[in-house]
Amino acid sequence: MIMVQGEVSGKKYTEPFSKGVLARSLTRAEMDPNKAYTFASRIEAHLKKNKVDVITIEELVDVVSEHLKREDPEVAEKYMLWRRIRQCKEPLIILIGGASGVGTSSIAFEVANRLGIRNMISTDMIREVMRKIVSRELLPSIYESSYTAYQSLRIPPPPELDEVLIGFRDHVDTVSIGVEAVIERALTEGISIVIEGVHIVPGFIKDDLINKENVAMFVLTVSDENVHKGRFYSRCRQMWARRPLKRYISYFWAIRRIHRYIESQAKKHNVPVIENIDVVTTIDSIIKSLTKTSVKGGEKGAEKTE
Ligand SMILES: Nc1ncnc2c1ncn2[C@@H]1O[C@H](COP(=O)(O)OP(=O)(O)OP(=O)(O)O)[C@@H](O)[C@H]1O
Ligand SMILES: O=C(O)[C@@H](CO)OP(=O)(O)O
């Protein structure tokens, strides 16, 4: 049996080589699952042929990337990017924002999956918990959707200001407190997490959290209004969807205003804006950007996610 040696939080561990585990990491680099399993079997055969009984994770990664470079350079590059992020010692906090319907939850799920991050929360869930704590009378705006929050303003803003944005800012400002609490808890516990939703807006979360090397924020956009609108139709066709299409379509004008506002905030605060047209391209941009920014220190290492 071939044994693999690794290290998590300074503690060494040894476990048997598993084709399944290796294949799973290759599928995260977008190798077809069947091909990944065959490839993992070939790696195992290679190690056996070379009479390897014990191999460290680093040595195994070298063997895998050498074989991958010959077989599929594109997957090899993605595999190495993925490894660099996984090597972070600090927990990775990924924040994905964007107006309702641009795809934050779909993309967050895929990013978490690709990076082996087991924790993910939507800001809608955080808002829901906050609604149970504070009465509607005290904080009416969080009882609204982000795009209807303006209807709960107690004092109408002066006509020269955009009331949709005033309502939105008020709504996001409150939910951001819950978002900050989740970030702080993840940092304290040392767990990686992806937080996604319309309440992730550049400029609203405390600088001391955002500026940490292992906290990365992204904003998703869909510039074409018709494509954006189409996303609500595609979502409501999914069997499990329980969200009324009519409501999103009738407030689409407000959602687009919020979309423009979030994008402008991202530009102002140097947060990467990613046009979410093709899922694979969006995820690749996020992962590439993570290796450039949030893992600035390079070899910092992650919790053992799998
Ligand atoms: N890149 C993409 N290409 C095609 N469809 C996509 C893409 N990203 C998301 N979608 C689809 O668009 C719809 C809306 O996506 P999703 O529910 O992730 O949006 P959201 O930003 O989380 O919205 P909300 O904030 O309202 O929850 C879903 O049906 C999803 O499958
Ligand atoms: O507030 C919003 O923009 C959306 C985000 O998902 O939530 P809901 O439409 O469920 O209120």
Side-chain angles (χ1 to χ4, degrees):
M1 188 190 285
I2 303 165
M3 300 303 288
V4 179
Q5 277 182 349
E7 195 176 316
V8 181
S9 314
K11 287 201 187 95
K12 289 199 167 34
Y13 68 92
T14 306
E15 62 188 10
F17 173 87
S18 156
K19 290 189 284 262
V21 169
L22 178 56
R24 204 152 50 241
S25 69
L26 293 164
T27 55
R28 293 208 174 104
E30 276 163 36
M31 190 182 256
D32 171 79
N34 290 330
K35 202 172 156 194
Y37 199 80
T38 314
F39 183 89
S41 306
R42 283 219 306 281
I43 296 291
E44 185 183 48
H46 170 86
L47 298 177
K48 280 187 180 153
K49 194 173 141 207
N50 288 287
K51 304 204 176 343
V52 175
D53 294 325
V54 181
I55 186 166
T56 65
I57 288 273
E58 290 73 28
E59 289 163 345
L60 180 61
V61 168
D62 287 344
V63 173
V64 171
S65 25
E66 279 316 306
H67 279 68
L68 271 181
K69 274 183 209 154
R70 285 196 293 275
E71 177 132 348
D72 190 334
E74 205 177 310
V75 173
E77 194 192 336
K78 285 183 180 169
Y79 179 75
M80 291 316 292
L81 282 179
W82 175 76
R83 281 298 311 168
R84 276 197 64 198
I85 295 170
R86 285 288 302 271
Q87 277 165 351
C88 280
K89 281 207 183 71
E90 297 296 325
L92 193 52
I93 317 290
I94 305 176
L95 310 172
I96 304 181
S100 188
V102 297
T104 58
S105 50
S106 315
I107 296 301
F109 176 78
E110 297 293 339
V111 168
N113 196 23
R114 275 273 293 276
L115 296 175
I117 295 178
R118 296 204 187 105
N119 305 288
M120 185 178 135
I121 189 165
S122 78
T123 57
D124 289 352
M125 293 295 179
I126 296 173
R127 178 181 62 185
E128 210 57 40
V129 173
M130 294 176 89
R131 282 175 179 163
K132 288 278 181 215
I133 301 166
V134 189
S135 71
R136 187 186 283 269
E137 286 71 21
L138 191 60
L139 269 183
S141 98
I142 61 161
Y143 281 83
E144 293 288 338
S145 296
S146 67
Y147 48 87
T148 56
Y150 70 94
Q151 293 170 356
S152 69
L153 292 169
R154 275 160 43 94
I155 301 157
E160 66 275 17
L161 296 180
D162 184 329
E163 61 173 0
V164 171
L165 297 186
I166 303 285
F168 176 73
R169 287 168 57 100
D170 189 47
H171 179 89
V172 171
D173 197 29
T174 306
V175 180
S176 294
I177 296 164
V179 173
E180 287 172 356
V182 173
I183 300 174
E184 281 161 3
R185 179 71 196 191
L187 290 169
T188 313
E189 263 195 57
I191 56 165
S192 295
I193 190 166
V194 182
I195 310 174
E196 62 79 20
V198 69
H199 309 96
I200 301 292
V201 182
F204 282 74
I205 294 166
K206 284 193 291 200
D207 280 349
D208 61 328
L209 294 178
I210 290 302
N211 292 338
K212 286 192 187 297
E213 286 197 335
N214 52 325
V215 177
M217 191 193 277
F218 299 92
V219 159
L220 303 185
T221 52
V222 176
S223 304
D224 187 312
E225 291 204 5
N226 291 326
V227 175
H228 187 181
K229 200 181 258 181
R231 297 278 169 85
F232 292 109
Y233 289 95
S234 73
R235 182 166 69 185
C236 91
R237 274 200 297 274
Q238 285 151 350
M239 292 291 286
W240 40 264
R242 295 269 194 281
R243 302 167 93 185
L245 171 68
K246 227 172 113 196
R247 179 172 161 83
Y248 292 98
I249 299 303
S250 56
Y251 284 101
F252 187 64
W253 60 275
I255 293 174
R256 283 306 290 183
R257 265 195 219 173
I258 289 169
H259 181 283
R260 281 191 289 278
Y261 175 71
I262 298 177
E263 188 175 6
S264 69
Q265 284 293 105
K267 289 188 175 145
K268 195 163 140 195
H269 292 270
N270 292 319
V271 168
V273 175
I274 299 174
E275 177 74 355
N276 178 30
I277 297 301
D278 166 62
V279 177
V280 173
T281 314
T282 303
I283 297 163
D284 283 352
S285 309
I286 292 181
I287 296 203
K288 272 206 182 111
S289 176
L290 283 173
T291 51
K292 281 193 225 128
T293 56
S294 59
V295 282
K296 288 172 206 132
E299 314 288 288
K300 290 192 301 170
E303 65 198 289
K304 186 170 184 252
T305 44
E306 222 165 59

